[in-house]
Coordinates of all heavy atoms in Angstrom, one line a residue:
Y1550 N 0.9 -5.8 -9.3 CA 1.6 -4.5 -9.3 C 1.6 -4.0 -10.7 O 2.2 -4.6 -11.7 CB 3.0 -4.7 -8.8 CG 3.1 -5.3 -7.4 CD1 3.2 -6.6 -7.2 CD2 3.1 -4.4 -6.3 CE1 3.2 -7.1 -6.0 CE2 3.1 -4.9 -5.1 CZ 3.2 -6.3 -4.8 OH 3.3 -6.8 -3.6
G1551 N 1.0 -2.8 -11.0 CA 1.0 -2.2 -12.3 C 2.3 -1.4 -12.6 O 3.1 -1.2 -11.7
K1552 N 2.3 -0.9 -13.8 CA 3.5 -0.1 -14.2 C 3.4 1.3 -13.5 O 2.3 1.7 -13.3 CB 3.4 0.1 -15.7 CG 3.7 -1.2 -16.6 CD 3.8 -0.9 -18.0 CE 3.9 -2.2 -18.8 NZ 5.1 -2.9 -18.6
P1553 N 4.5 1.8 -13.2 CA 4.5 3.2 -12.5 C 3.7 4.2 -13.4 O 3.8 4.2 -14.6 CB 6.0 3.6 -12.4 CG 6.7 2.3 -12.4 CD 5.9 1.3 -13.3
L1554 N 2.9 5.1 -12.8 CA 2.1 6.1 -13.4 C 2.9 7.3 -13.6 O 3.7 7.7 -12.7 CB 0.8 6.3 -12.7 CG -0.1 5.2 -12.5 CD1 -1.2 5.6 -11.6 CD2 -0.6 4.7 -13.8
D1555 N 2.7 8.1 -14.7 CA 3.3 9.4 -14.9 C 2.3 10.4 -14.4 O 1.3 10.6 -15.1 CB 3.6 9.5 -16.4 CG 4.2 10.9 -16.7 OD1 4.5 11.7 -15.7 OD2 4.5 11.2 -17.9
L1556 N 2.6 11.0 -13.3 CA 1.7 12.1 -12.8 C 2.2 13.5 -13.0 O 1.7 14.4 -12.4 CB 1.5 11.9 -11.3 CG 0.9 10.5 -10.8 CD1 0.7 10.5 -9.3 CD2 -0.5 10.3 -11.5
S1557 N 3.2 13.6 -13.9 CA 3.8 14.9 -14.1 C 2.8 16.0 -14.7 O 3.0 17.2 -14.4 CB 5.0 14.8 -15.1 OG 4.5 14.3 -16.4
A1558 N 1.8 15.5 -15.3 CA 0.7 16.4 -15.8 C 0.0 17.2 -14.6 O -0.7 18.2 -14.8 CB -0.3 15.8 -16.6
Y1559 N 0.1 16.6 -13.4 CA -0.7 17.1 -12.3 C 0.3 17.8 -11.2 O -0.1 18.0 -10.1 CB -1.4 16.0 -11.5 CG -2.1 15.1 -12.5 CD1 -1.7 13.8 -12.8 CD2 -3.3 15.6 -13.1 CE1 -2.4 13.0 -13.7 CE2 -4.0 14.8 -14.0 CZ -3.6 13.5 -14.3 OH -4.3 12.8 -15.2
A1560 N 1.5 18.2 -11.7 CA 2.5 18.7 -10.9 C 2.2 20.1 -10.2 O 2.8 20.6 -9.3 CB 3.8 18.8 -11.6
G1561 N 1.1 20.7 -10.7 CA 0.7 22.0 -10.2 C 0.3 21.9 -8.7 O 0.4 22.8 -7.9
A1562 N -0.2 20.7 -8.3 CA -0.5 20.5 -6.9 C -1.7 21.3 -6.4 O -1.9 21.5 -5.2 CB 0.7 20.4 -5.9
S1563 N -2.5 21.9 -7.2 CA -3.7 22.5 -6.8 C -4.7 21.5 -6.4 O -4.5 20.2 -6.7 CB -4.3 23.4 -7.9 OG -4.9 22.5 -9.0
S1564 N -5.8 21.8 -5.7 CA -6.7 20.8 -5.3 C -7.3 20.1 -6.5 O -7.5 18.9 -6.4 CB -7.9 21.5 -4.5 OG -8.8 20.6 -4.0
E1565 N -7.5 20.8 -7.6 CA -8.1 20.1 -8.7 C -7.1 19.1 -9.4 O -7.4 18.0 -9.8 CB -8.5 21.2 -9.8 CG -9.2 20.5 -11.0 CD -9.6 21.6 -12.0 OE1 -9.9 22.8 -11.6 OE2 -9.7 21.3 -13.2
D1566 N -5.8 19.6 -9.4 CA -4.7 18.7 -9.9 C -4.7 17.4 -9.0 O -4.5 16.3 -9.6 CB -3.3 19.4 -9.8 CG -3.2 20.4 -10.9 OD1 -3.9 20.3 -11.9 OD2 -2.4 21.4 -10.7
L1567 N -4.7 17.6 -7.7 CA -4.7 16.4 -6.8 C -5.8 15.5 -7.0 O -5.7 14.3 -7.0 CB -4.5 16.9 -5.4 CG -3.2 17.5 -5.0 CD1 -3.3 18.0 -3.5 CD2 -2.0 16.6 -5.2
E1568 N -7.0 16.1 -7.2 CA -8.2 15.2 -7.5 C -8.1 14.4 -8.8 O -8.4 13.3 -8.8 CB -9.5 16.1 -7.5 CG -9.9 16.6 -6.2 CD -11.2 17.4 -6.2 OE1 -11.9 17.4 -7.2 OE2 -11.5 18.0 -5.2
Q1569 N -7.6 15.1 -9.8 CA -7.3 14.4 -11.1 C -6.3 13.3 -11.0 O -6.4 12.2 -11.5 CB -7.0 15.5 -12.1 CG -8.2 16.3 -12.5 CD -7.8 17.4 -13.5 OE1 -6.7 17.6 -13.9 NE2 -8.9 18.1 -14.0
A1570 N -5.2 13.7 -10.2 CA -4.1 12.7 -10.1 C -4.6 11.5 -9.3 O -4.4 10.3 -9.7 CB -2.9 13.3 -9.3
T1571 N -5.4 11.7 -8.3 CA -5.9 10.7 -7.5 C -6.9 9.8 -8.3 O -6.9 8.6 -8.3 CB -6.7 11.2 -6.2 OG1 -5.8 12.0 -5.5 CG2 -7.3 10.1 -5.4
E1572 N -7.7 10.5 -9.1 CA -8.6 9.7 -10.0 C -7.9 8.9 -11.0 O -8.2 7.7 -11.3 CB -9.6 10.6 -10.7 CG -10.6 9.9 -11.5 CD -11.4 8.8 -10.8 OE1 -11.7 8.8 -9.6 OE2 -11.8 7.8 -11.5
A1573 N -6.7 9.4 -11.5 CA -5.9 8.6 -12.4 C -5.3 7.4 -11.7 O -5.3 6.3 -12.3 CB -4.7 9.5 -12.9
I1574 N -4.9 7.5 -10.4 CA -4.4 6.3 -9.7 C -5.5 5.3 -9.5 O -5.4 4.1 -9.8 CB -3.9 6.8 -8.3 CG1 -2.6 7.7 -8.5 CG2 -3.5 5.6 -7.5 CD1 -2.2 8.4 -7.3
M1575 N -6.8 5.8 -9.0 CA -7.8 4.9 -8.8 C -8.3 4.2 -10.0 O -8.7 3.0 -10.0 CB -9.0 5.7 -8.1 CG -8.7 6.3 -6.7 SD -8.1 5.1 -5.6 CE -9.6 4.1 -5.5
K1576 N -8.3 4.9 -11.1 CA -8.8 4.4 -12.4 C -7.9 3.2 -12.8 O -8.4 2.2 -13.3 CB -8.8 5.5 -13.5 CG -9.3 5.0 -14.8 CD -9.3 6.2 -15.8 CE -9.8 5.7 -17.2 NZ -9.7 6.8 -18.1
E1577 N -6.5 3.4 -12.6 CA -5.6 2.3 -13.0 C -5.8 1.1 -12.0 O -5.7 -0.1 -12.5 CB -4.2 2.8 -13.0 CG -3.2 1.8 -13.5 CD -3.4 1.2 -14.9 OE1 -4.2 1.8 -15.6 OE2 -2.7 0.3 -15.2
I1578 N -6.0 1.4 -10.7 CA -6.2 0.3 -9.8 C -7.4 -0.5 -10.2 O -7.4 -1.8 -10.2 CB -6.4 0.8 -8.3 CG1 -5.0 1.4 -7.8 CG2 -6.9 -0.3 -7.4 CD1 -5.1 2.2 -6.5
R1579 N -8.5 0.2 -10.5 CA -9.8 -0.5 -11.0 C -9.6 -1.3 -12.3 O -10.1 -2.3 -12.5 CB -10.9 0.6 -11.1 CG -11.4 1.1 -9.8 CD -12.7 2.0 -10.0 NE -12.5 3.2 -10.8 CZ -12.2 4.4 -10.2 NH1 -12.2 4.5 -8.9 NH2 -12.1 5.4 -11.0
R1580 N -8.8 -0.7 -13.2 CA -8.5 -1.3 -14.5 C -7.8 -2.6 -14.2 O -8.1 -3.7 -14.8 CB -7.7 -0.4 -15.4 CG -7.5 -1.0 -16.8 CD -6.4 -0.3 -17.6 NE -5.1 -0.6 -17.2 CZ -4.4 -1.7 -17.4 NH1 -5.0 -2.7 -18.0 NH2 -3.3 -1.9 -16.9
L1581 N -6.7 -2.6 -13.4 CA -6.0 -3.8 -13.1 C -6.9 -4.8 -12.4 O -6.8 -6.0 -12.7 CB -4.8 -3.5 -12.1 CG -3.6 -2.7 -12.7 CD1 -2.7 -2.2 -11.6 CD2 -2.9 -3.5 -13.7

Side-chain angles (χ1 to χ4, degrees):
Y1550 300 93
K1552 293 184 186 297
L1554 298 175
D1555 180 5
L1556 298 183
S1557 60
Y1559 312 106
S1563 69
S1564 182
E1565 185 178 333
D1566 286 335
L1567 290 177
E1568 284 180 16
Q1569 291 176 352
T1571 300
E1572 183 51 33
I1574 294 168
M1575 296 304 299
K1576 183 177 179 182
E1577 184 60 13
I1578 293 169
R1579 289 190 293 266
R1580 187 194 71 75
L1581 290 169

